[in-house]
Amino acid sequence: MSIIDPRTGNPLTAEPTTNNAGNASASTERPSVTPEEVIIELSAGNIQQVLEASMQVPVLLGSYSPTSSTCTTLLSVLEKLAVEYAGAFLLAKLDIAANPEIGGQLGVSSVPDVKLVSQGGLVDGFQGALPEKEVREWLNRYFPAPGDAPPSPEDQAEEALSTGDAAAAREIYQSLVSQYPEHYAYQIGLARALVAEKRGDDARSVLDNLPPEERDAAPARGVRASIEFSEQALSTEEVAALGERNDSEAQYQRALRQVADGQYDAGLEALLALMKQDRAYNDDAARKTLLQVFDALGADHPLTVTYRRKLFALLY
């Protein structure tokens, strides 16, 4: 369904395209445009024309200060997306230092500030330098995403981690951290990449520098658990040297090695089996390690949900 402007009742966007199966598609192909066609520098001389243009096409008003690095970062994202969305909206950039009276008229209290205007009135907006992925998600509330949209840096980093290229993931997260130093999820992502590179001390340093509320939250605790798995687990060679041993210690060490290597499903299953067989082993180590793995994976991870249920069934 189309997005309706809450002030006028008029459609803000066109109906989504349909795919060959007749199902609604969230993305659409658009003709290419040049930056000059979709990006405008706003001033006292053209603001009236821009507002009038919003009667025909939505306008994104991006207020910024040229001396602010956070503004520069967000503005480059908005400029890229304006071209990528190829005319779905116009981007009107406002230098707030050069045009303070316009900023006052628009109700801009701090920069960066982004407002979506349609039919001459405000529809939505946000303040602060949101990361590109979040800006895309915000835009996609109102405009069908381009069908050829490239993967976000966050998606690229996660793909690199999943394929074992921890160095590439680290480089992406380092770049994101430098651009968005207060977006702490990127620092946690960087720590995860460092753990994958077996640089536990560097990962701890990143986590230790987080604000207390972030440092003690589940995502950071999960990365710390991953560091501990890597440090506590026997090496691959040491596990192989256990041979045919099947006592509780050997079972635990094999499970811990699997967890440290990211083989979470196998490791969780082995820890659960050890709990059933020898609950008292090493002061209930199997159960405690299961809980650490849940922290590392996150509460919403499918394996966490599955094995938390199995653990509950075993205990009660």
Side-chain angles (χ1 to χ4, degrees), residues 111-191:
V111 290
D113 179 281
V114 176
K115 300 183 188 300
L116 176 60
V117 174
S118 178
Q119 300 288 312
L122 177 66
V123 175
D124 198 359
F126 66 85
Q127 289 184 321
L130 296 185
E132 180 179 330
K133 186 173 184 179
E134 293 185 22
V135 176
R136 287 182 182 276
E137 292 170 350
W138 183 79
L139 285 174
N140 290 344
R141 300 178 195 170
Y142 305 103
F143 310 105
D148 55 352
S152 68
E154 297 93 331
D155 290 339
Q156 293 177 44
E158 290 305 307
E159 175 66 19
L161 276 177
S162 68
T163 58
D165 192 352
R170 170 178 47 79
E171 290 175 1
I172 293 171
Y173 276 121
Q174 285 174 329
S175 175
L176 289 170
V177 167
S178 68
Q179 294 178 70
Y180 307 100
E182 295 185 1
H183 194 73
Y184 301 115
Y186 293 148
Q187 296 184 42
I188 293 171
L190 173 58

Side-chain angles (χ1 to χ4, degrees), residues 255 258-273 290 293-294 297 301-304 306-307 310:
Q258 288 171 321
V259 168
D261 289 340
Q263 300 172 26
Y264 293 112
D265 202 344
L268 287 167
E269 194 63 43
L271 289 168
L272 199 66
L290 277 166
V293 179
F294 297 159
L297 293 175
H301 193 285
L303 288 176
T304 300
T306 297
Y307 280 92
K310 290 183 177 182

Side-chain angles (χ1 to χ4, degrees), residues 215-293:
R215 190 168 59 235
D216 298 332
R221 292 202 316 269
V223 180
R224 288 188 188 278
S226 296
I227 298 171
E228 292 174 10
F229 297 147
S230 297
E231 293 177 344
Q232 293 171 9
L234 298 178
S235 68
T236 303
E237 294 75 18
E238 289 172 321
V239 170
L242 294 174
E244 299 298 320
R245 281 181 52 187
N246 199 37
D247 55 90
S248 296
E249 172 68 11
Q251 291 181 48
Y252 180 75
Q253 292 299 338
R254 290 191 188 98
L256 198 58
R257 183 69 257 168
Q258 288 171 321
V259 168
D261 289 340
Q263 300 172 26
Y264 293 112
D265 202 344
L268 287 167
E269 194 63 43
L271 289 168
L272 199 66
L274 178 56
M275 272 193 67
K276 293 178 182 177
Q277 175 185 305
D278 187 2
R279 175 70 186 276
Y281 165 74
N282 195 15
D283 192 23
D284 206 12
R287 182 186 63 83
K288 293 176 181 177
T289 304
L290 277 166
L291 297 179
Q292 283 186 296
V293 179

